[in-house]
Amino acid sequence: GPAEPKEENEELYELMREADQIYRAALRTSETAIAYLKKRGIDGRTAGRFGIGYAPDAWDTGLRALGTSEARTAKLLQAGLIVANDTGRRYDRFRNRIMFPIRNSPRGQIIGFGGRVLDSGEPKYLNSPETPIFRKGHELYGLYEARQNPGRPKEIVVVEGYVDVTSLVQHGGEYAVATLGTAATTENVRRLTRLTDRILFCFDGDRAGRAAAWRALETALPYGGGTLELKFLLLPEGDDPDSFVRSSGPDAFRALAAKAAPLSDFLVNELTARVDLGTVDGRSRFQAIAKPLLKRLPEGSYRAAVMDAL
């Protein structure tokens, strides 16, 4: 009947909860994992607040503990907690990684995990795959935790990494969230608009950071000019939010954030940086890139003002 999918998902939520307990217990007994968190400057309170855990360096931690029957093992595969290789051998997806549980908001159920390697292995971050309960473009890491604070946040900072979130929250008490291994989506922005009147997109000061900022800009354009303030911050070259707030402190971060570029300025600056306006070709290319972007802005006085600036 129509109630079936819900029951099916309940079992996935339950498996996630049990996996989370296994990872948290493993963190408490792993000296290497605890040492790694200390080295990264994550304190016990933050680890507790975000439910950080550790997936042991073994092939079958979750499989042995959770795959108690063939039906449960099939669910573990569906939940993305284990993987089957070509020969049908099954093993844990997450091994020797610091585990960041991802919760849905506002319910706070665990829907996926992000795992960070402790050494220099690749990939550095491994996320749960898309599952019936985990849609990456819809959720934001840290959103549930941010909503546990009383009151309406003046500003929410959107970053790219899970450690950037935990670090900003730990050092500065900022409201910080991260996209889940994808670029920011319109759904992400829409959800944030319900919680705050100012969104600050904050990116690393490198080429990848610039590219990510540009994608976020394109996504945010339809929300320009309303009651929502959209701002963009590119950190100094070589810094990410975690390294910056740890080396320079929360006040320095706030000072930078206060000078972040509003959407319209950021759009103009980035466009001008991309083309040479001193040439006819450059100017026509400028118009070609700018036109579709302007179309994405809501019609009205704000769009007109941005056109003027351009």
Side-chain angles (χ1 to χ4, degrees), residues 28-66:
R28 287 195 288 274
T29 57
S30 165
E31 282 174 25
T32 45
I34 290 169
Y36 175 82
L37 288 182
K38 283 203 172 118
K39 190 180 86 189
R40 291 296 305 257
I42 296 171
D43 66 22
R45 208 168 131 235
T46 303
R49 176 173 186 181
F50 286 93
I52 295 171
Y54 170 65
D57 195 4
W59 291 94
D60 59 355
T61 309
L63 187 59
R64 274 218 320 267
L66 300 171

Side-chain angles (χ1 to χ4, degrees), residues 153-168:
K154 270 212 314 279
E155 173 177 84
I156 293 179
V157 184
V158 181
V159 295
E160 288 199 286
Y162 304 149
V163 178
D164 295 324
V165 172
T166 58
S167 210
L168 284 175

